[in-house]
Amino acid sequence: MKPGIHPNYQKVVFMDVNSGYKFLSGSTKTSHETIEWEDGNTYPLIKVEISSDTHPFYTGKQKFAERGGRAERFMQKFNMKQK
């Protein structure tokens, strides 16, 4: 690899601002905020809106609309009965 053209890859702590869930990962992102992690080292802190802790797909709180298929909606719209 050419020296000097790649971003600095480092360990950072991501924190979900909605739940306070934190995890340590590697990233090229940087931050002015820092946090002391469980291992006693200080890492940059990156705040995120949604993580696996609060995302509806992972929490099981996803809303599904039971709309039916195209044919069923057509039949209901025009008050037709299926044979």
Side-chain angles (χ1 to χ4, degrees):
M1 293 192 310
K2 291 185 179 180
I5 63 168
H6 298 285
N8 184 25
Y9 186 79
Q10 61 189 0
K11 289 188 175 185
V12 297
V13 175
F14 289 94
M15 182 176 82
D16 189 324
V17 294
N18 293 315
S19 67
Y21 175 70
K22 299 177 203 123
F23 61 94
L24 181 66
S25 182
S27 178
T28 58
K29 292 186 97 32
T30 59
S31 175
H32 297 292
E33 294 181 82
T34 59
I35 189 169
E36 187 172 331
W37 190 243
E38 299 161 355
D39 61 3
N41 294 327
T42 302
Y43 298 105
L45 175 67
I46 298 177
K47 295 179 180 177
V48 293
E49 295 283 328
I50 297 176
S51 70
S52 61
D53 192 50
T54 57
H55 193 280
F57 180 78
Y58 295 106
T59 60
K61 297 178 183 175
Q62 191 170 10
K63 295 180 183 176
F64 292 102
E66 291 294 328
R67 296 182 59 201
R70 294 168 110 187
E72 290 85 14
R73 290 194 314 251
F74 178 83
M75 297 295 215
Q76 286 178 352
K77 182 177 179 179
F78 295 105
N79 294 324
M80 302 171 78
K81 295 181 182 172
Q82 280 186 314
K83 292 183 180 181

